[in-house]
Amino acid sequence: MRRAALCLALSFLCAGCDEMVRQPKAPAYGRSDLFANGAAMQTAPSGTVSRDQAAFEAALTARPPMTSALLQRGRERYGIYCAPCHGLDGAGQGIIPARGFPRPPDLRSDPVRALSSGQLVQVIGDGYGVMYAYGDRVPPADRWAIAAYIRALQLAAAAPAATLSDADRAHLEDAHGG
């Protein structure tokens, strides 16, 4: 009984402790007397590193092993982020250039083939030319998956028809009217 009364008294005392709700604060771009420069929002001190930065950089440099799951993920992510401009086959004839935007390079071309997978990952993150940077939208693991799928597109485009089975060759000829 005594413990219940004490808890009840403490809860009434804490009811008036809403100072966190009514504390003074400054808008992000407003003025503040707290800092010498008078600005409320401050830049991080030089040398500041995000707590996730090391893991993020490790994911960018650690190439995952080639697996079917990686290619499936790459195909999915490619279809979302890359196909609108580069097209489903990587030829650079997606819906965006069809509407008047600059045509991106053919991902199956020799200059793109000459890039390392790490360079493809970097281009996906940082952009290149008029290509938008996807670093804030595509995490490192998905960048590697997209790069792997681009390699698969390159291999598929360069594969001689003689290496296909008869059924696949017939399907290809039917699809292209040949």
Side-chain angles (χ1 to χ4, degrees):
M1 178 72 177
R2 192 171 201 189
R3 185 176 271 174
L6 181 63
C7 286
L8 185 61
L10 285 174
S11 66
F12 281 122
L13 287 174
C14 290
C17 297
D18 62 348
E19 294 302 313
M20 295 277 297
V21 174
R22 292 181 294 190
Q23 64 182 335
K25 56 186 172 185
Y29 292 100
R31 301 219 16 94
S32 172
D33 296 330
L34 184 61
F35 298 104
N37 66 0
M41 188 166 55
Q42 301 291 306
T43 58
S46 65
T48 301
V49 178
S50 164
R51 95 177 95 184
D52 300 330
Q53 188 66 28
F56 182 81
E57 288 177 5
L60 276 177
T61 58
R63 182 180 183 169
M66 183 66 72
T67 63
S68 177
L70 181 74
L71 286 175
Q72 279 300 108
R73 180 69 177 183
R75 180 180 183 195
E76 177 191 48
R77 300 285 105 180
Y78 178 89
I80 294 168
Y81 296 108
C82 310
C85 293
H86 290 281
L88 291 175
D89 62 352
Q93 298 176 351
I95 190 70
I96 302 299
R99 295 186 178 197
F101 286 87
R103 185 170 180 239
D106 185 341
L107 296 176
R108 306 162 309 166
S109 67
D110 289 337
V112 178
R113 284 176 188 269
L115 297 174
S116 69
S117 294
Q119 288 172 313
L120 289 174
V121 167
Q122 181 181 1
V123 168
I124 293 167
D126 299 338
Y128 183 80
V130 296
M131 179 182 156
Y132 187 81
Y134 286 91
D136 61 337
R137 291 170 175 77
V138 181
D142 285 346
R143 293 181 213 175
W144 282 108
I146 291 170
Y149 184 69
I150 290 170
R151 293 294 186 218
L153 287 176
Q154 292 169 344
L155 287 172
T163 62
L164 298 174
S165 68
D166 291 337
D168 287 338
R169 197 170 322 129
H171 177 72
L172 182 65
E173 289 170 357
D174 288 342
H176 291 288

